[in-house]
Amino acid sequence: MNVSYHTKSHTFNNMLALVLLLMTFGMSGMYAAIMIGAPVWVSMIALLIPMVALLAFTSGQAVYTINDEELQRTITPFAATYLSFIPTKRAAYRWSKIKHFKNGKEVNRSMQEYEYLEIYFTGGKVWQITDQENQAEFTVFKNAFLQKVEELNSSAVGSPAKDIAKTPTANTAATTVRSQKIEQRKTFYETVWAKITFWIFALLYSAIIGFLFLNPEYNKWQYQFRLGIIAIPGLAYMWYRIYGTGRKK
């Protein structure tokens, strides 16, 4: 088995870490410009340049590959297009290094739904892979991953111990017999916390709507916009994912 998925990715452990670093670098540049009395437009440039530079050196075209022995990832930073000395970043983990994974769906800032696969390795490393670049290729990659996990779990022997190798046959490559199954953990919408969150917001929005109905002097268009465009559609999406047809079967 040798299946690859081509997409864009970054080298950080998760998107939150990337966003925090982007804000740190960008705000540092902007504050430095403000402190020296630079014009507003210079401050905005000082905000953007560090953020763009960080993305250029840590994000780029990625190839995820799985085979019978390991999972591999190569990332060619965007800056490598213009600076030939920047190396391609490579990483590889054997199947025995996988702790657990998640497979679910989420929405992006454009309110478009996408599917993701999160793979958690020993040592705290996480790979976050989405289908936003190529859904068909992602589906093939995801199915191959799930098939391999099922194969490894069917041969898992139970309690934690050192992994041992299977004896290869004439038609199969050597693989790994795990001592422990690879767990598929629940996504947020499959947990009880999602239901609790949903009902808290449902009660809160109901109280706000009731208050505005009984007190029309507070019923301004800004509140109607926030409820109608942001709050209620978001709550409806949560219901769709938790109780509706969007929940995971």
Side-chain angles (χ1 to χ4, degrees):
M1 176 183 66
N2 197 314
V3 180
S4 296
Y5 173 53
H6 299 74
T7 183
K8 293 183 178 68
S9 188
H10 56 82
T11 58
F12 294 95
N13 219 28
N14 53 56
M15 185 59 70
L16 178 60
L18 174 60
V19 171
L20 289 176
L21 276 175
L22 286 173
M23 294 303 299
T24 300
F25 275 64
M27 297 300 287
S28 297
M30 184 181 71
Y31 287 144
I34 292 174
M35 290 180 65
I36 63 175
V40 173
W41 65 270
V42 174
S43 300
M44 291 299 100
I45 293 176
L47 169 71
L48 293 175
I49 287 180
M51 298 173 71
V52 172
L54 179 64
L55 283 174
F57 283 91
T58 61
S59 305
Q61 297 294 334
V63 181
Y64 290 87
T65 303
I66 55 177
N67 56 47
D68 286 325
E69 286 75 38
E70 61 184 9
L71 297 84
Q72 305 167 355
R73 182 185 71 181
T74 61
I75 299 178
T76 303
F78 294 121
T81 304
Y82 308 99
L83 303 172
S84 58
F85 62 86
I86 297 178
T88 296
K89 303 178 186 298
R90 294 180 171 84
Y93 294 92
R94 298 189 67 83
W95 289 93
S96 58
K97 297 300 183 182
I98 299 177
K99 293 174 60 180
H100 55 267
F101 72 96
K102 295 179 182 179
N103 177 219
K105 294 183 178 181
E106 194 49 91
V107 291
N108 58 24
R109 287 173 295 180
S110 302
M111 297 305 292
Q112 294 179 326
E113 193 172 65
Y114 64 90
E115 187 174 6
Y116 66 87
L117 180 65
E118 288 184 354
I119 307 173
Y120 295 75
F121 300 96
T122 56
K125 190 64 179 177
V126 183
W127 285 0
Q128 297 174 315
I129 313 170
T130 74
D131 71 346
Q132 297 183 84
E133 293 296 322
N134 188 329
Q135 290 185 353
E137 191 175 276
F138 173 87
T139 299
V140 173
F141 179 88
K142 178 199 70 175
N143 289 340
F145 174 83
L146 295 177
Q147 181 181 350
K148 183 62 179 179
V149 167
E150 183 178 357
E151 175 188 328
L152 292 171
N153 285 348
S154 65
S155 62
V157 296
S159 59
K162 289 185 178 180
D163 293 343
I164 58 175
K166 275 186 174 180
T167 301
T169 65
N171 298 319
T172 60
T175 186
T176 300
V177 177
R178 287 180 59 92
S179 60
Q180 203 170 20
K181 289 185 176 181
I182 300 175
E183 177 188 4
Q184 180 173 2
R185 293 194 174 177
K186 293 181 178 179
T187 63
F188 171 73
Y189 295 106
E190 299 174 276
T191 65
V192 67
W193 295 110
K195 295 179 180 179
I196 292 173
T197 302
F198 171 81
W199 287 110
I200 288 175
F201 279 105
L203 292 172
L204 176 63
Y205 294 158
S206 297
I208 293 174
I209 292 172
F211 175 81
L212 295 177
F213 180 79
L214 295 174
N215 300 272
E217 64 272 20
Y218 294 101
N219 195 5
K220 299 180 180 180
W221 71 267
Q222 296 96 323
Y223 302 147
Q224 295 177 7
F225 177 83
R226 291 171 184 170
L227 283 170
I229 303 299
I230 301 173
I232 294 178
L235 192 66
Y237 179 76
M238 286 192 69
W239 182 90
Y240 162 76
R241 291 300 309 278
I242 298 171
Y243 300 106
T245 57
R247 68 183 186 276
K248 194 169 182 180
K249 305 299 182 181

